[in-house]
Every structure is written in C-alpha cells, then in structure tokens.
C-alpha cells in the first residue's frame, strides 16, 4: 500500500477478504486512528502483531458479527490510548494480551 503517511483510516463497507486484514496496514507508520466496522471484516480472528501500527492512538472495532477472538502481541499497539468495542456479539472474552497496552486509558 502507498499510504505510509496516512494519519487516519476508517474501513466501513469494503469487505476485507484477506486472512489478516491488519497485515496490509502494518506499514502505515503514521496511522493515529483506525476504525473497522459495519461488517467490513468477516473473519473470526484479529491479530495485532509485535511492531505493528506503532503510533496508533485510537482503535474502534464495531459491527463485526463473526469476530470471536482478538490477540494483542507484546510490542503491538504500544501507543494505544483508546479502545472501543461495539456490537461484536461473538467476542465473549477480553482480548488476549490486553495487559500489554500500558498507555490505555481506563
């Protein structure tokens, strides 16, 4: 992708057909805000890899009806301050690795 200087990204209606939708966003080093919603991702799992999306401050995940697992690896999202989940009915547990988000505001 040629979006390395993009500061904000909202994926709403385009269905992400890839196994790992976040992989395509890893190189967006200046990304501060990301929203994935309105059934844009139909997979069951989201993995936030070590070193990925390092400057991200706010993440919103909403209307992801198939999502049942979120994994946050140590070293991922280390600048994240705000995390919002909305209408993710299959997500029944706290995301694995959420303890790594040291700057998350409560």
């Amino acid at each position: 992708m040629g979006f390395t200087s993009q500061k904000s990204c909202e994926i709403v209606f385009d269905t992400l057909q890839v196994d790992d939708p976040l992989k395509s966003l890893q190189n967006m080093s200046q990304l501060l805000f990301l929203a994935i919603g309105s059934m844009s991702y139909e997979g069951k799992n989201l993995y936030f890899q070590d070193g990925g999306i390092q400057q991200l401050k706010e993440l919103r995940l909403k209307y992801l009806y198939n999502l049942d697992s979120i994994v946050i690896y140590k070293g991922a999202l280390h600048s994240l301050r705000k995390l919002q989940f909305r209408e993710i009915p299959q997500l029944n547990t706290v995301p694995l690795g959420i303890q790594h988000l040291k700057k998350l505001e409560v």
Side-chain angles (χ1 to χ4, degrees):
M1 275 188 146
F3 301 113
T4 56
S5 64
Q6 190 78 14
K7 301 252 188 244
S8 145
C9 182
E10 184 164 8
I11 303 168
V12 180
F13 293 109
D14 292 333
T15 301
L16 298 169
Q17 296 292 339
V18 294
D19 291 333
D20 186 358
L22 299 173
K23 189 173 187 178
S24 61
L25 301 174
Q26 296 294 330
N27 294 328
M28 295 177 71
S29 60
Q30 300 300 312
L31 189 64
L32 300 176
F33 170 81
L34 175 62
I36 300 175
S38 297
M39 301 180 297
S40 59
Y41 176 57
E42 295 178 349
K44 292 184 169 220
N45 307 299
L46 278 178
Y47 298 97
F48 294 91
Q49 303 290 339
D50 179 16
I53 319 176
Q54 290 297 302
Q55 299 302 314
L56 195 68
K57 304 276 190 241
E58 185 173 350
L59 174 63
R60 294 182 190 167
L61 302 174
K62 52 190 177 180
Y63 310 112
L64 300 171
Y65 297 109
N66 295 324
L67 187 66
D68 67 9
S69 165
I70 298 172
V71 177
I72 303 164
Y73 289 93
K74 188 173 184 178
L77 305 173
H78 76 266
S79 297
L80 196 68
R81 296 181 190 280
K82 295 181 181 179
L83 178 61
Q84 181 185 58
F85 300 126
R86 186 170 178 191
E87 294 292 325
I88 308 176
Q90 302 302 318
L91 187 64
N92 296 316
T93 61
V94 174
L96 183 64
I98 198 165
Q99 73 274 10
H100 302 307
L101 304 178
K102 305 293 185 193
K103 295 182 180 179
L104 197 61
E105 297 172 358
V106 183

